[in-house]
mmCIF file of all heavy atoms in Angstrom:
data_model
loop_
_atom_site.group_PDB
_atom_site.id
_atom_site.type_symbol
_atom_site.label_atom_id
_atom_site.label_comp_id
_atom_site.label_asym_id
_atom_site.label_seq_id
_atom_site.Cartn_x
_atom_site.Cartn_y
_atom_site.Cartn_z
ATOM 1 N N GLY S 375 4.367 -1.157 -4.697
ATOM 2 C CA GLY S 375 3.534 -0.821 -3.543
ATOM 3 C C GLY S 375 2.200 -1.528 -3.525
ATOM 4 O O GLY S 375 1.224 -1.018 -2.960
ATOM 5 N N MET S 376 2.130 -2.716 -4.138
ATOM 6 C CA MET S 376 0.879 -3.474 -4.174
ATOM 7 C C MET S 376 1.030 -4.775 -3.388
ATOM 8 O O MET S 376 2.028 -5.483 -3.538
ATOM 9 C CB MET S 376 0.473 -3.780 -5.616
ATOM 10 C CG MET S 376 0.100 -2.553 -6.409
ATOM 11 S SD MET S 376 -0.628 -2.967 -8.017
ATOM 12 C CE MET S 376 -2.153 -3.759 -7.505
ATOM 13 N N TYR S 377 0.011 -5.081 -2.567
ATOM 14 C CA TYR S 377 0.081 -6.248 -1.690
ATOM 15 C C TYR S 377 -1.283 -6.934 -1.620
ATOM 16 O O TYR S 377 -2.321 -6.306 -1.891
ATOM 17 C CB TYR S 377 0.497 -5.825 -0.274
ATOM 18 C CG TYR S 377 1.810 -5.085 -0.230
ATOM 19 C CD1 TYR S 377 1.860 -3.694 -0.313
ATOM 20 C CD2 TYR S 377 3.018 -5.776 -0.120
ATOM 21 C CE1 TYR S 377 3.066 -3.013 -0.284
ATOM 22 C CE2 TYR S 377 4.231 -5.100 -0.086
ATOM 23 C CZ TYR S 377 4.246 -3.724 -0.171
ATOM 24 O OH TYR S 377 5.447 -3.052 -0.156
ATOM 25 N N GLY S 378 -1.263 -8.195 -1.237
ATOM 26 C CA GLY S 378 -2.509 -8.894 -0.986
ATOM 27 C C GLY S 378 -3.242 -8.221 0.165
ATOM 28 O O GLY S 378 -2.622 -7.814 1.154
ATOM 29 N N ALA S 379 -4.553 -8.090 0.041
ATOM 30 C CA ALA S 379 -5.332 -7.375 1.062
ATOM 31 C C ALA S 379 -5.189 -8.002 2.441
ATOM 32 O O ALA S 379 -5.287 -7.310 3.467
ATOM 33 C CB ALA S 379 -6.804 -7.335 0.650
ATOM 34 N N ASP S 380 -4.910 -9.315 2.490
ATOM 35 C CA ASP S 380 -4.774 -9.982 3.779
ATOM 36 C C ASP S 380 -3.539 -9.526 4.540
ATOM 37 O O ASP S 380 -3.453 -9.706 5.756
ATOM 38 C CB ASP S 380 -4.716 -11.501 3.585
ATOM 39 C CG ASP S 380 -3.537 -11.935 2.714
ATOM 40 O OD1 ASP S 380 -3.272 -11.258 1.697
ATOM 41 O OD2 ASP S 380 -2.890 -12.932 3.049
ATOM 42 N N ARG S 381 -2.580 -8.890 3.837
ATOM 43 C CA ARG S 381 -1.358 -8.439 4.494
ATOM 44 C C ARG S 381 -1.614 -7.283 5.460
ATOM 45 O O ARG S 381 -0.782 -6.993 6.309
ATOM 46 C CB ARG S 381 -0.321 -8.001 3.445
ATOM 47 C CG ARG S 381 0.098 -9.085 2.473
ATOM 48 C CD ARG S 381 0.942 -10.149 3.157
ATOM 49 N NE ARG S 381 2.232 -9.634 3.586
ATOM 50 C CZ ARG S 381 3.291 -9.495 2.806
ATOM 51 N NH1 ARG S 381 3.216 -9.835 1.533
ATOM 52 N NH2 ARG S 381 4.431 -9.044 3.282
ATOM 53 N N ILE S 382 -2.741 -6.607 5.314
ATOM 54 C CA ILE S 382 -3.013 -5.458 6.189
ATOM 55 C C ILE S 382 -4.202 -5.706 7.118
ATOM 56 O O ILE S 382 -4.712 -4.774 7.744
ATOM 57 C CB ILE S 382 -3.238 -4.173 5.363
ATOM 58 C CG1 ILE S 382 -4.505 -4.263 4.517
ATOM 59 C CG2 ILE S 382 -2.031 -3.879 4.480
ATOM 60 C CD1 ILE S 382 -4.905 -2.939 3.874
ATOM 61 N N ASP S 383 -4.658 -6.954 7.199
ATOM 62 C CA ASP S 383 -5.821 -7.276 8.038
ATOM 63 C C ASP S 383 -5.625 -6.863 9.499
ATOM 64 O O ASP S 383 -6.576 -6.425 10.156
ATOM 65 C CB ASP S 383 -6.129 -8.776 7.976
ATOM 66 C CG ASP S 383 -6.833 -9.171 6.686
ATOM 67 O OD1 ASP S 383 -7.327 -8.261 5.996
ATOM 68 O OD2 ASP S 383 -6.862 -10.376 6.371
ATOM 69 N N ALA S 384 -4.404 -7.015 10.021
ATOM 70 C CA ALA S 384 -4.149 -6.729 11.430
ATOM 71 C C ALA S 384 -3.887 -5.243 11.688
ATOM 72 O O ALA S 384 -3.743 -4.823 12.833
ATOM 73 C CB ALA S 384 -2.955 -7.549 11.932
ATOM 74 N N MET S 385 -3.851 -4.457 10.648
ATOM 75 C CA MET S 385 -3.549 -3.038 10.767
ATOM 76 C C MET S 385 -4.796 -2.270 11.215
ATOM 77 O O MET S 385 -5.912 -2.616 10.814
ATOM 78 C CB MET S 385 -3.070 -2.514 9.404
ATOM 79 C CG MET S 385 -2.364 -1.184 9.438
ATOM 80 S SD MET S 385 -1.792 -0.728 7.768
ATOM 81 C CE MET S 385 -0.514 -1.965 7.496
ATOM 82 N N PRO S 386 -4.654 -1.247 12.058
ATOM 83 C CA PRO S 386 -5.821 -0.447 12.462
ATOM 84 C C PRO S 386 -6.588 0.062 11.245
ATOM 85 O O PRO S 386 -5.996 0.421 10.226
ATOM 86 C CB PRO S 386 -5.189 0.718 13.237
ATOM 87 C CG PRO S 386 -3.901 0.160 13.769
ATOM 88 C CD PRO S 386 -3.412 -0.781 12.706
ATOM 89 N N GLN S 387 -7.890 0.081 11.353
ATOM 90 C CA GLN S 387 -8.737 0.462 10.222
ATOM 91 C C GLN S 387 -8.412 1.858 9.698
ATOM 92 O O GLN S 387 -8.463 2.119 8.495
ATOM 93 C CB GLN S 387 -10.214 0.400 10.627
ATOM 94 C CG GLN S 387 -11.175 0.590 9.470
ATOM 95 C CD GLN S 387 -11.010 -0.464 8.379
ATOM 96 O OE1 GLN S 387 -10.941 -1.650 8.673
ATOM 97 N NE2 GLN S 387 -10.946 -0.041 7.123
ATOM 98 N N VAL S 388 -8.056 2.766 10.607
ATOM 99 C CA VAL S 388 -7.744 4.131 10.192
ATOM 100 C C VAL S 388 -6.534 4.157 9.258
ATOM 101 O O VAL S 388 -6.471 4.948 8.316
ATOM 102 C CB VAL S 388 -7.512 5.041 11.415
ATOM 103 C CG1 VAL S 388 -6.295 4.583 12.219
ATOM 104 C CG2 VAL S 388 -7.356 6.497 10.984
ATOM 105 N N PHE S 389 -5.578 3.241 9.487
ATOM 106 C CA PHE S 389 -4.415 3.146 8.613
ATOM 107 C C PHE S 389 -4.817 2.570 7.255
ATOM 108 O O PHE S 389 -4.378 3.050 6.210
ATOM 109 C CB PHE S 389 -3.347 2.256 9.243
ATOM 110 C CG PHE S 389 -2.515 2.938 10.299
ATOM 111 C CD1 PHE S 389 -3.084 3.335 11.495
ATOM 112 C CD2 PHE S 389 -1.168 3.168 10.099
ATOM 113 C CE1 PHE S 389 -2.324 3.955 12.487
ATOM 114 C CE2 PHE S 389 -0.399 3.790 11.075
ATOM 115 C CZ PHE S 389 -0.983 4.187 12.273
ATOM 116 N N GLN S 390 -5.657 1.530 7.290
ATOM 117 C CA GLN S 390 -6.093 0.900 6.044
ATOM 118 C C GLN S 390 -6.829 1.893 5.155
ATOM 119 O O GLN S 390 -6.613 1.949 3.939
ATOM 120 C CB GLN S 390 -7.000 -0.294 6.353
ATOM 121 C CG GLN S 390 -6.322 -1.429 7.098
ATOM 122 C CD GLN S 390 -7.241 -2.633 7.268
ATOM 123 O OE1 GLN S 390 -8.046 -2.938 6.400
ATOM 124 N NE2 GLN S 390 -7.114 -3.323 8.384
ATOM 125 N N THR S 391 -7.680 2.702 5.780
ATOM 126 C CA THR S 391 -8.492 3.662 5.031
ATOM 127 C C THR S 391 -7.659 4.814 4.479
ATOM 128 O O THR S 391 -7.841 5.229 3.331
ATOM 129 C CB THR S 391 -9.604 4.232 5.932
ATOM 130 O OG1 THR S 391 -10.410 3.155 6.422
ATOM 131 C CG2 THR S 391 -10.474 5.215 5.162
ATOM 132 N N ARG S 392 -6.734 5.297 5.297
ATOM 133 C CA ARG S 392 -5.965 6.490 4.902
ATOM 134 C C ARG S 392 -4.836 6.175 3.922
ATOM 135 O O ARG S 392 -4.571 6.967 3.011
ATOM 136 C CB ARG S 392 -5.391 7.179 6.147
ATOM 137 C CG ARG S 392 -4.558 8.399 5.819
ATOM 138 C CD ARG S 392 -4.107 9.130 7.048
ATOM 139 N NE ARG S 392 -3.175 10.200 6.706
ATOM 140 C CZ ARG S 392 -2.549 10.967 7.594
ATOM 141 N NH1 ARG S 392 -2.775 10.797 8.895
ATOM 142 N NH2 ARG S 392 -1.706 11.907 7.194
ATOM 143 N N PHE S 393 -4.182 5.038 4.100
ATOM 144 C CA PHE S 393 -2.931 4.811 3.374
ATOM 145 C C PHE S 393 -2.996 3.756 2.270
ATOM 146 O O PHE S 393 -1.996 3.519 1.589
ATOM 147 C CB PHE S 393 -1.827 4.430 4.366
ATOM 148 C CG PHE S 393 -1.521 5.510 5.367
ATOM 149 C CD1 PHE S 393 -1.642 5.264 6.731
ATOM 150 C CD2 PHE S 393 -1.115 6.774 4.954
ATOM 151 C CE1 PHE S 393 -1.364 6.256 7.664
ATOM 152 C CE2 PHE S 393 -0.832 7.766 5.870
ATOM 153 C CZ PHE S 393 -0.963 7.519 7.233
ATOM 154 N N PHE S 394 -4.154 3.125 2.081
ATOM 155 C CA PHE S 394 -4.270 2.087 1.052
ATOM 156 C C PHE S 394 -5.504 2.310 0.196
ATOM 157 O O PHE S 394 -6.506 2.840 0.658
ATOM 158 C CB PHE S 394 -4.345 0.696 1.690
ATOM 159 C CG PHE S 394 -3.095 0.278 2.415
ATOM 160 C CD1 PHE S 394 -2.905 0.617 3.755
ATOM 161 C CD2 PHE S 394 -2.103 -0.451 1.765
ATOM 162 C CE1 PHE S 394 -1.754 0.242 4.428
ATOM 163 C CE2 PHE S 394 -0.954 -0.831 2.426
ATOM 164 C CZ PHE S 394 -0.772 -0.480 3.758
ATOM 165 N N ARG S 395 -5.412 1.866 -1.049
ATOM 166 C CA ARG S 395 -6.556 1.890 -1.955
ATOM 167 C C ARG S 395 -6.829 0.468 -2.436
ATOM 168 O O ARG S 395 -5.897 -0.249 -2.820
ATOM 169 C CB ARG S 395 -6.278 2.805 -3.156
ATOM 170 C CG ARG S 395 -6.068 4.259 -2.769
ATOM 171 C CD ARG S 395 -7.355 4.881 -2.231
ATOM 172 N NE ARG S 395 -7.152 6.255 -1.781
ATOM 173 C CZ ARG S 395 -6.937 6.604 -0.507
ATOM 174 N NH1 ARG S 395 -6.922 5.664 0.434
ATOM 175 N NH2 ARG S 395 -6.763 7.861 -0.177
ATOM 176 N N LYS S 396 -8.073 0.057 -2.425
ATOM 177 C CA LYS S 396 -8.429 -1.300 -2.824
ATOM 178 C C LYS S 396 -8.379 -1.460 -4.340
ATOM 179 O O LYS S 396 -8.813 -0.584 -5.075
ATOM 180 C CB LYS S 396 -9.837 -1.649 -2.310
ATOM 181 C CG LYS S 396 -9.935 -1.781 -0.811
ATOM 182 C CD LYS S 396 -11.334 -2.205 -0.385
ATOM 183 C CE LYS S 396 -11.429 -2.392 1.122
ATOM 184 N NZ LYS S 396 -12.787 -2.811 1.546
ATOM 185 N N GLY S 397 -7.852 -2.607 -4.757
ATOM 186 C CA GLY S 397 -7.786 -2.891 -6.183
ATOM 187 C C GLY S 397 -9.117 -3.383 -6.707
ATOM 188 O O GLY S 397 -9.920 -3.960 -5.973
ATOM 189 N N ARG S 398 -9.343 -3.164 -8.006
ATOM 190 C CA ARG S 398 -10.576 -3.612 -8.649
ATOM 191 C C ARG S 398 -10.239 -4.386 -9.914
ATOM 192 O O ARG S 398 -9.131 -4.314 -10.432
ATOM 193 C CB ARG S 398 -11.457 -2.416 -8.981
ATOM 194 C CG ARG S 398 -11.941 -1.636 -7.760
ATOM 195 C CD ARG S 398 -12.781 -0.442 -8.157
ATOM 196 N NE ARG S 398 -13.245 0.305 -6.977
ATOM 197 C CZ ARG S 398 -13.951 1.428 -7.025
ATOM 198 N NH1 ARG S 398 -14.287 1.930 -8.231
ATOM 199 N NH2 ARG S 398 -14.325 2.044 -5.927
ATOM 200 N N GLY S 399 -11.214 -5.128 -10.411
ATOM 201 C CA GLY S 399 -11.002 -5.884 -11.635
ATOM 202 C C GLY S 399 -9.912 -6.923 -11.452
ATOM 203 O O GLY S 399 -9.977 -7.747 -10.538
ATOM 204 N N GLN S 400 -8.902 -6.880 -12.317
ATOM 205 C CA GLN S 400 -7.814 -7.851 -12.227
ATOM 206 C C GLN S 400 -6.989 -7.692 -10.945
ATOM 207 O O GLN S 400 -6.229 -8.588 -10.585
ATOM 208 C CB GLN S 400 -6.900 -7.723 -13.448
ATOM 209 C CG GLN S 400 -6.178 -6.384 -13.560
ATOM 210 C CD GLN S 400 -5.218 -6.351 -14.729
ATOM 211 O OE1 GLN S 400 -4.537 -7.334 -15.018
ATOM 212 N NE2 GLN S 400 -5.184 -5.212 -15.432
ATOM 213 N N TYR S 401 -7.141 -6.558 -10.272
ATOM 214 C CA TYR S 401 -6.412 -6.314 -9.030
ATOM 215 C C TYR S 401 -7.288 -6.521 -7.790
ATOM 216 O O TYR S 401 -6.943 -6.107 -6.687
ATOM 217 C CB TYR S 401 -5.828 -4.904 -9.014
ATOM 218 C CG TYR S 401 -4.844 -4.657 -10.145
ATOM 219 C CD1 TYR S 401 -5.173 -3.809 -11.198
ATOM 220 C CD2 TYR S 401 -3.610 -5.309 -10.163
ATOM 221 C CE1 TYR S 401 -4.287 -3.591 -12.248
ATOM 222 C CE2 TYR S 401 -2.715 -5.098 -11.208
ATOM 223 C CZ TYR S 401 -3.059 -4.249 -12.242
ATOM 224 O OH TYR S 401 -2.176 -4.041 -13.270
ATOM 225 N N SER S 402 -8.424 -7.158 -7.984
ATOM 226 C CA SER S 402 -9.306 -7.452 -6.862
ATOM 227 C C SER S 402 -8.571 -8.319 -5.850
ATOM 228 O O SER S 402 -7.842 -9.245 -6.208
ATOM 229 C CB SER S 402 -10.563 -8.177 -7.354
ATOM 230 O OG SER S 402 -11.415 -8.479 -6.279
ATOM 231 N N GLY S 403 -8.746 -8.009 -4.580
ATOM 232 C CA GLY S 403 -8.041 -8.742 -3.531
ATOM 233 C C GLY S 403 -6.672 -8.165 -3.230
ATOM 234 O O GLY S 403 -5.941 -8.699 -2.386
ATOM 235 N N MET S 404 -6.319 -7.060 -3.916
ATOM 236 C CA MET S 404 -5.051 -6.379 -3.697
ATOM 237 C C MET S 404 -5.298 -4.993 -3.103
ATOM 238 O O MET S 404 -6.406 -4.447 -3.211
ATOM 239 C CB MET S 404 -4.282 -6.228 -5.012
ATOM 240 C CG MET S 404 -4.038 -7.517 -5.762
ATOM 241 S SD MET S 404 -2.772 -8.546 -4.991
ATOM 242 C CE MET S 404 -1.302 -7.576 -5.347
ATOM 243 N N VAL S 405 -4.280 -4.448 -2.478
ATOM 244 C CA VAL S 405 -4.327 -3.059 -2.015
ATOM 245 C C VAL S 405 -3.051 -2.366 -2.479
ATOM 246 O O VAL S 405 -2.008 -3.010 -2.664
ATOM 247 C CB VAL S 405 -4.456 -2.951 -0.483
ATOM 248 C CG1 VAL S 405 -5.816 -3.446 -0.010
ATOM 249 C CG2 VAL S 405 -3.337 -3.709 0.224
ATOM 250 N N LYS S 406 -3.136 -1.048 -2.655
ATOM 251 C CA LYS S 406 -1.975 -0.283 -3.113
ATOM 252 C C LYS S 406 -1.727 0.896 -2.183
ATOM 253 O O LYS S 406 -2.660 1.578 -1.757
ATOM 254 C CB LYS S 406 -2.195 0.224 -4.547
ATOM 255 C CG LYS S 406 -0.973 0.904 -5.140
ATOM 256 C CD LYS S 406 -1.159 1.191 -6.624
ATOM 257 C CE LYS S 406 0.128 1.758 -7.221
ATOM 258 N NZ LYS S 406 0.012 1.969 -8.688
ATOM 259 N N ILE S 407 -0.446 1.112 -1.876
ATOM 260 C CA ILE S 407 -0.041 2.246 -1.053
ATOM 261 C C ILE S 407 -0.389 3.549 -1.763
ATOM 262 O O ILE S 407 -0.187 3.680 -2.980
ATOM 263 C CB ILE S 407 1.487 2.206 -0.799
ATOM 264 C CG1 ILE S 407 1.902 0.918 -0.085
ATOM 265 C CG2 ILE S 407 1.925 3.425 -0.019
ATOM 266 C CD1 ILE S 407 1.578 0.863 1.377
ATOM 267 N N VAL S 408 -0.882 4.534 -1.020
ATOM 268 C CA VAL S 408 -1.253 5.821 -1.626
ATOM 269 C C VAL S 408 -0.001 6.569 -2.083
ATOM 270 O O VAL S 408 1.097 6.392 -1.543
ATOM 271 C CB VAL S 408 -2.060 6.694 -0.645
ATOM 272 C CG1 VAL S 408 -3.388 6.020 -0.302
ATOM 273 C CG2 VAL S 408 -1.252 6.985 0.619
ATOM 274 N N ASP S 409 -0.183 7.430 -3.075
ATOM 275 C CA ASP S 409 0.933 8.175 -3.662
ATOM 276 C C ASP S 409 1.623 9.076 -2.635
ATOM 277 O O ASP S 409 2.826 9.342 -2.743
ATOM 278 C CB ASP S 409 0.448 9.011 -4.838
ATOM 279 C CG ASP S 409 0.031 8.153 -6.030
ATOM 280 O OD1 ASP S 409 0.436 6.970 -6.075
ATOM 281 O OD2 ASP S 409 -0.692 8.658 -6.906
ATOM 282 N N GLU S 410 0.867 9.569 -1.655
ATOM 283 C CA GLU S 410 1.436 10.449 -0.623
ATOM 284 C C GLU S 410 2.625 9.787 0.064
ATOM 285 O O GLU S 410 3.656 10.426 0.331
ATOM 286 C CB GLU S 410 0.357 10.777 0.417
ATOM 287 C CG GLU S 410 0.863 11.590 1.604
ATOM 288 C CD GLU S 410 -0.147 11.659 2.737
ATOM 289 O OE1 GLU S 410 -1.132 10.882 2.720
ATOM 290 O OE2 GLU S 410 0.060 12.472 3.650
ATOM 291 N N LEU S 411 2.512 8.490 0.350
ATOM 292 C CA LEU S 411 3.597 7.773 1.007
ATOM 293 C C LEU S 411 4.688 7.388 0.027
ATOM 294 O O LEU S 411 5.886 7.484 0.334
ATOM 295 C CB LEU S 411 3.059 6.510 1.702
ATOM 296 C CG LEU S 411 2.074 6.694 2.843
ATOM 297 C CD1 LEU S 411 1.843 5.360 3.544
ATOM 298 C CD2 LEU S 411 2.563 7.735 3.848
ATOM 299 N N ARG S 412 4.293 6.943 -1.146
ATOM 300 C CA ARG S 412 5.276 6.492 -2.132
ATOM 301 C C ARG S 412 6.210 7.630 -2.518
ATOM 302 O O ARG S 412 7.383 7.415 -2.823
ATOM 303 C CB ARG S 412 4.565 5.926 -3.357
ATOM 304 C CG ARG S 412 3.733 4.675 -3.050
ATOM 305 C CD ARG S 412 2.938 4.210 -4.247
ATOM 306 N NE ARG S 412 3.815 3.694 -5.288
ATOM 307 C CZ ARG S 412 3.469 3.606 -6.568
ATOM 308 N NH1 ARG S 412 2.286 4.028 -6.963
ATOM 309 N NH2 ARG S 412 4.310 3.120 -7.448
ATOM 310 N N ALA S 413 5.706 8.860 -2.495
ATOM 311 C CA ALA S 413 6.512 10.020 -2.874
ATOM 312 C C ALA S 413 7.618 10.302 -1.854
ATOM 313 O O ALA S 413 8.611 10.968 -2.177
ATOM 314 C CB ALA S 413 5.620 11.251 -3.019
ATOM 315 N N MET S 414 7.478 9.782 -0.640
ATOM 316 C CA MET S 414 8.472 10.014 0.405
ATOM 317 C C MET S 414 9.663 9.066 0.294
ATOM 318 O O MET S 414 10.694 9.284 0.931
ATOM 319 C CB MET S 414 7.825 9.831 1.792
ATOM 320 C CG MET S 414 6.727 10.821 2.105
ATOM 321 S SD MET S 414 5.773 10.346 3.572
ATOM 322 C CE MET S 414 7.064 10.356 4.826
ATOM 323 N N ILE S 415 9.520 8.007 -0.513
ATOM 324 C CA ILE S 415 10.498 6.913 -0.494
ATOM 325 C C ILE S 415 11.199 6.773 -1.838
ATOM 326 O O ILE S 415 10.569 6.813 -2.889
ATOM 327 C CB ILE S 415 9.796 5.588 -0.135
ATOM 328 C CG1 ILE S 415 9.041 5.720 1.191
ATOM 329 C CG2 ILE S 415 10.805 4.450 -0.048
ATOM 330 C CD1 ILE S 415 8.105 4.562 1.486
ATOM 331 N N THR S 416 12.506 6.580 -1.778
ATOM 332 C CA THR S 416 13.303 6.250 -2.962
ATOM 333 C C THR S 416 13.852 4.845 -2.787
ATOM 334 O O THR S 416 14.527 4.562 -1.786
ATOM 335 C CB THR S 416 14.476 7.224 -3.140
ATOM 336 O OG1 THR S 416 13.958 8.548 -3.305
ATOM 337 C CG2 THR S 416 15.304 6.853 -4.362
ATOM 338 N N PHE S 417 13.558 3.952 -3.731
ATOM 339 C CA PHE S 417 14.032 2.572 -3.664
ATOM 340 C C PHE S 417 15.266 2.410 -4.557
ATOM 341 O O PHE S 417 15.270 2.845 -5.708
ATOM 342 C CB PHE S 417 12.942 1.603 -4.116
ATOM 343 C CG PHE S 417 11.784 1.496 -3.160
ATOM 344 C CD1 PHE S 417 10.628 2.232 -3.363
ATOM 345 C CD2 PHE S 417 11.857 0.667 -2.045
ATOM 346 C CE1 PHE S 417 9.556 2.145 -2.484
ATOM 347 C CE2 PHE S 417 10.793 0.564 -1.157
ATOM 348 C CZ PHE S 417 9.651 1.307 -1.376
ATOM 349 N N LYS S 418 16.296 1.781 -4.012
ATOM 350 C CA LYS S 418 17.529 1.569 -4.757
ATOM 351 C C LYS S 418 18.105 0.188 -4.450
ATOM 352 O O LYS S 418 18.050 -0.276 -3.305
ATOM 353 C CB LYS S 418 18.589 2.622 -4.382
ATOM 354 C CG LYS S 418 18.249 4.045 -4.786
ATOM 355 C CD LYS S 418 18.405 4.250 -6.279
ATOM 356 C CE LYS S 418 18.196 5.717 -6.660
ATOM 357 N NZ LYS S 418 18.296 5.921 -8.128
ATOM 358 N N GLU S 419 18.676 -0.445 -5.472
ATOM 359 C CA GLU S 419 19.413 -1.691 -5.252
ATOM 360 C C GLU S 419 20.779 -1.343 -4.679
ATOM 361 O O GLU S 419 21.476 -0.477 -5.207
ATOM 362 C CB GLU S 419 19.566 -2.454 -6.567
ATOM 363 C CG GLU S 419 20.231 -3.820 -6.399
ATOM 364 C CD GLU S 419 20.298 -4.600 -7.704
ATOM 365 O OE1 GLU S 419 19.610 -4.201 -8.681
ATOM 366 O OE2 GLU S 419 21.035 -5.596 -7.758
ATOM 367 N N LEU S 420 21.156 -1.997 -3.594
ATOM 368 C CA LEU S 420 22.426 -1.670 -2.942
ATOM 369 C C LEU S 420 23.004 -2.886 -2.238
ATOM 370 O O LEU S 420 22.323 -3.563 -1.467
ATOM 371 C CB LEU S 420 22.231 -0.546 -1.918
ATOM 372 C CG LEU S 420 23.492 -0.098 -1.167
ATOM 373 C CD1 LEU S 420 24.488 0.557 -2.127
ATOM 374 C CD2 LEU S 420 23.153 0.855 -0.029
ATOM 375 N N ASN S 421 24.252 -3.149 -2.513
ATOM 376 C CA ASN S 421 25.019 -4.175 -1.812
ATOM 377 C C ASN S 421 25.751 -3.484 -0.678
ATOM 378 O O ASN S 421 26.577 -2.591 -0.907
ATOM 379 C CB ASN S 421 26.010 -4.822 -2.787
ATOM 380 C CG ASN S 421 26.770 -5.988 -2.187
ATOM 381 O OD1 ASN S 421 27.021 -6.032 -0.982
ATOM 382 N ND2 ASN S 421 27.157 -6.932 -3.018
#
């Protein structure tokens, strides 16, 4: 759930503020999806 901060530039500010957290240190320039959303999703490999 980590992406380059530029990937969300076009997103409304309210979405950026509520659903992403800015990375710091080695993760500077990155954003991470908040746990509230990640908890809703199950990722699986599937053919």
Side-chain angles (χ1 to χ4, degrees):
M376 293 189 66
Y377 303 92
D380 60 318
R381 300 290 293 278
I382 66 170
D383 283 345
M385 196 178 292
Q387 188 60 47
V388 63
F389 280 67
Q390 296 185 35
T391 302
R392 179 175 173 184
F393 298 122
F394 295 87
R395 297 293 177 263
K396 292 183 178 180
R398 296 179 180 177
Q400 64 176 321
Y401 299 110
S402 179
M404 305 286 289
V405 292
K406 186 171 185 176
I407 300 284
V408 296
D409 291 342
E410 175 191 13
L411 296 189
R412 296 175 68 202
M414 297 168 61
I415 305 169
T416 299
F417 290 97
K418 294 286 186 182
E419 184 176 347
L420 180 66
N421 185 330

